[in-house]
């Protein structure tokens, strides 16, 4: 390949050894309708990376948006005849502008399968990489098991990585999009993905073709693009990828304060419809309940009913939609908070009942809620919690809880992806002073994929506590906008 030999065809499977059941489970099998299949690699719980050629029917360009044909993705298993892992539909394609790669969004997160770790530096000539895929072999048209084989880097220039194969290491039809991995202290790191191959020795290839070289696409330097594509903020109402703050003034009007990654808040104030009627709201919670990437608002009316206000992506909330689940019993709720607790990308509600128990209401994606599921952790002690914001504080894509106890201390409860939360972990920052906080809410106000806390102190000032990505927070910094006027806020989300 280094001498410039022509590439015969796109690589779409891999002649090599079967892999162990628990090895390289981040490798995905992608079926495009009943037409063809390729491989891919999980790089985020809800996103798979593969080549554009996987979706480029008859050489056509790949457009962003929903796949033209029904596409099913299997990830988390190395033997397709076994259970485990995740089988789900592909719902969105995001092609890269300059390379033969495309991000594939899954309908549901592949929880339980660890995404591939992206390498921090590119390949070098002479380096050995392990390539995996579900494609054709020398003897099988449609293998059921994942295969892997070692290849040597011949050269790397720009986005292309030229690989030397062998009789036992050939990238075949169906392997396109599969990962090329570097082992680093026993941990595989994603360097490139399969793109094109000579396919010498693969079943169905002209017997005269004996070349086994291939070209992969470098991806270690696409970390920023991958993260930007996969990143999703549950609390973003303005569509800029930063959480925004909703607050009810003491005159009963609702206002949205757009977030700013540098300052916490931009300083803008967007007044909402509804006049002074927001004063009667008992509880507010904010999250993406309609699965469109824009946060919505949930509010409990004084008659005990729950209502959704859909975000428009420009900082405004629409007219109310009644939530049917729960009827008019919501008025007795002591605490209400939102977050994606089950990992499907849709916001759910957590509610503390009057008996002190905590309950999850999973979001359906259309603004409505599933029936409640009781939390196993905490029993009936949740009724003593003073403040209960929810957000992803450890960066695993699952919402967690922060709770202020009656003694004024702050505690972290990690979400487990099933809708339940784990045992509490004390948060040392702030000691027992959290009991004096007037209002507390969570959201990713810095755009780093980690939830932060916004707190109104007793003096009426607003403070940001950046999440540390480990379930904790850093020391607070004052938000200059608004001064001490925040003490007049009636509700906060």
């Amino acid at each position: 390949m280094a001498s410039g030999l022509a590439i015969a065809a796109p690589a779409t499977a891999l002649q090599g050894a079967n892999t162990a059941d628990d090895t390289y489970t981040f490798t995905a099998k992608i079926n495009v309708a009943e037409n063809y299949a390729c491989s891919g690699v999980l790089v985020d719980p809800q996103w798979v990376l593969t080549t554009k050629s996987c979706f480029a029917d008859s050489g056509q360009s790949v457009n962003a948006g929903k796949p033209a044909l029904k596409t099913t993705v299997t990830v988390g298993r190395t033997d397709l005849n076994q259970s485990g892992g995740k089988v789900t539909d592909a719902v969105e394609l995001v092609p890269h502008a300059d390379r033969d790669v495309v991000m594939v969004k899954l309908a549901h997160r592949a929880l339980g399968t660890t995404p591939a770790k992206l390498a921090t530096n590119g390949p070098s000539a002479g380096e050995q990489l392990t390539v995996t895929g579900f494609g054709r072999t020398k003897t099988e048209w449609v293998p059921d098991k994942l295969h892997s084989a070692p290849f040597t880097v011949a050269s790397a220039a720009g986005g292309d990585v030229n690989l030397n194969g062998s009789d036992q290491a050939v990238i075949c039809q169906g392997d396109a999009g599969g990962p090329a991995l570097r082992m680093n202290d026993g941990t595989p790191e994603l360097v490139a993905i399969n793109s094109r191959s000579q396919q010498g020795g693969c079943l169905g290839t002209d017997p005269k073709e004996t070349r086994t070289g291939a070209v992969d696409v470098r991806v270690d330097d696409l970390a920023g693009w991958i993260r930007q594509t996969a990143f999703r903020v549950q609390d973003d109402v303005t569509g800029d990828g930063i959480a925004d703050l909703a607050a009810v003034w003491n005159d009963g009007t609702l206002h949205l304060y757009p977030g700013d990654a540098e300052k916490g808040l931009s300083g803008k104030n967007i007044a909402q419809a509804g006049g002074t009627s927001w004063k009667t709201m008992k509880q507010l919670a904010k999250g993406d309940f309609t699965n469109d990437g824009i946060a919505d608002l949930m509010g409990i009316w004084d008659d005990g009913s729950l209502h959704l206000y859909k975000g428009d992506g420009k900082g405004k909330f629409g007219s109310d939609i009644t939530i049917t689940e729960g009827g008019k019993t919501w008025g007795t709720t002591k605490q209400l908070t939102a977050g994606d607790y089950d990992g499907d990308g849709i916001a759910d509600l957590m509610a503390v009942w009057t008996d002190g128990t905590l309950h999850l209401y999973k979001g359906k994606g259309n603004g409505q809620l599933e029936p409640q599921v009781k939390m196993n952790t905490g029993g009936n002690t949740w009724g003593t919690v003073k403040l209960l914001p929810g957000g992803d504080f450890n960066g695993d894509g699952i919402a967690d809880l922060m709770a202020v106890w009656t003694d004024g201390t702050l505690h972290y409860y990690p979400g487990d992806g099933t809708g339940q939360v784990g045992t509490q972990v004390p948060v040392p920052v702030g000691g027992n002073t959290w009991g004096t906080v007037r209002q507390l809410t969570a959201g990713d106000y810095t755009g780093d994929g980690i939830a932060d806390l916004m707190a109104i102190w007793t003096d009426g000032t607003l403070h940001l506590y950046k999440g540390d990505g480990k379930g904790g927070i850093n020391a607070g910094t004052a938000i200059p906008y608004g001064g001490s006027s925040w003490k007049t806020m009636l509700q906060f989300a």
Side-chain angles (χ1 to χ4, degrees):
M1 303 309 300
S3 61
L5 295 174
I7 306 302
T12 62
L14 181 77
Q15 167 62 32
N18 291 348
T19 63
D21 290 344
D22 58 351
T23 307
Y24 313 130
T25 54
F26 45 64
T27 307
K29 174 69 178 292
I30 303 173
N31 290 92
V32 181
E34 299 297 328
N35 298 7
Y36 45 85
C38 56
S39 301
V41 54
L42 190 73
V43 292
D44 175 88
Q46 202 166 3
W47 291 85
V48 163
L49 185 67
T50 187
T51 57
K52 293 178 184 176
S53 57
C54 184
F55 298 93
D57 189 22
S58 302
Q60 296 179 356
S61 61
V62 178
N63 298 319
K66 185 177 180 180
L69 299 173
K70 179 178 173 58
T71 301
T72 304
V73 180
T74 303
V75 67
R77 65 177 75 160
T78 58
D79 186 339
L80 299 179
N81 290 318
Q82 296 180 351
S83 59
K86 191 77 174 180
V87 181
T88 187
D89 290 340
V91 295
E92 182 181 357
L93 302 179
V94 181
H96 191 275
D98 304 317
R99 294 196 192 169
D100 181 24
V101 296
V102 59
M103 290 279 282
V104 183
K105 185 179 181 182
L106 309 181
H108 298 280
R109 294 177 186 268
L111 298 178
T113 301
T114 303
K117 181 181 179 181
L118 208 63
T120 57
N121 58 291
S124 57
E127 179 180 11
Q128 181 173 291
L129 300 177
T130 298
V131 175
T132 69
F134 281 102
R136 193 176 300 172
T137 68
K138 290 184 176 181
T139 58
E140 296 178 285
W141 283 102
V142 187
D144 293 322
K145 294 184 178 181
L146 179 68
H147 293 77
S148 64
F151 286 75
T152 302
V153 176
S155 64
D160 286 343
V161 181
N162 297 310
L163 300 177
N164 288 332
S166 67
D167 289 343
Q168 299 302 314
V170 185
I171 295 175
C172 302
Q173 194 80 4
D175 285 327
L181 307 159
R182 171 192 296 132
M183 297 304 295
N184 187 357
D185 292 331
T187 301
E189 296 181 342
L190 179 62
V191 177
I193 60 172
N194 306 328
S195 178
R196 310 182 299 280
S197 172
Q198 301 286 6
Q199 303 189 55
C202 298
L203 188 62
T205 301
D206 188 337
K208 296 180 181 179
E209 178 58 80
T210 60
R211 293 173 296 178
T212 58
V215 176
D216 274 20
V217 182
R218 181 181 175 184
V219 298
D220 67 282
D221 57 344
L222 299 182
W225 176 74
I226 291 172
R227 181 187 172 280
Q228 183 181 24
T229 302
F231 179 61
R232 184 174 187 178
V233 178
Q234 277 282 336
D235 301 284
D236 175 22
V237 187
T238 55
D240 62 356
I242 305 295
D244 307 306
L245 188 65
V248 178
W249 287 9
N250 59 355
D251 65 357
T253 58
L254 177 67
H255 299 256
L256 185 81
Y257 298 86
D260 183 280
E262 299 297 326
K263 300 181 293 184
L265 294 180
S266 68
K268 295 180 180 179
N269 170 7
I270 303 175
Q272 303 295 312
T276 61
S277 64
W278 295 93
K279 192 171 187 176
T280 62
M281 289 289 174
K282 292 181 176 293
Q283 301 276 355
L284 289 179
K286 187 169 81 279
D288 181 12
F289 296 97
T290 53
N291 201 27
D292 62 357
I294 301 298
D296 316 300
L297 196 65
M298 287 274 195
I300 299 176
W301 285 12
D302 55 359
D303 67 356
S305 59
L306 182 64
H307 297 257
L308 171 78
Y309 300 84
K310 188 175 176 358
D312 68 355
K314 300 176 183 179
K316 292 277 192 176
F317 296 109
S319 301
D320 73 277
I321 300 170
T322 301
I323 302 299
T324 57
E325 181 64 33
K328 293 189 176 181
T329 64
W330 293 95
T332 61
T333 299
K334 300 186 70 174
Q335 296 282 352
L336 192 70
T337 192
D340 179 16
Y341 297 96
D342 63 349
D344 64 356
I346 300 166
D348 315 301
L349 275 187
M350 284 279 194
V352 177
W353 287 10
T354 52
D355 64 358
T357 57
L358 180 63
H359 299 255
L360 171 74
Y361 297 81
K362 293 184 178 182
K364 293 183 177 181
N366 60 357
Q368 296 294 323
L369 302 172
E370 300 280 359
Q372 64 82 25
V373 177
K374 186 178 179 180
M375 290 294 102
N376 298 324
T377 301
N380 64 353
T381 63
W382 295 96
T384 62
V385 169
K386 299 186 66 175
L387 299 165
L388 191 68
D392 181 12
F393 294 96
N394 62 2
D396 65 353
I398 304 298
D400 317 299
L401 289 175
M402 287 283 188
V404 177
W405 285 10
T406 52
D407 63 358
T409 56
L410 182 65
H411 298 255
Y412 160 70
Y413 295 80
D416 68 359
T418 69
Q420 297 288 329
V421 294
T423 306
Q424 65 81 25
V425 179
V427 178
V429 174
N432 65 352
T433 63
W434 292 94
T436 62
V437 170
R438 289 174 174 267
Q439 301 276 357
L440 188 65
T441 192
D444 182 12
Y445 296 96
T446 57
D448 62 355
I450 305 298
D452 316 300
L453 289 178
M454 281 280 195
I456 299 177
W457 284 11
T458 51
D459 64 359
T461 57
L462 182 63
H463 295 254
L464 173 68
Y465 296 82
K466 294 182 180 180
D468 65 4
K470 302 175 183 179
I473 55 173
N474 296 303
T477 57
I479 300 295
Y481 178 69
S484 62
S485 65
W486 294 96
K487 63 185 173 185
T488 63
M489 299 299 164
L490 301 178
Q491 294 285 343
F492 207 43

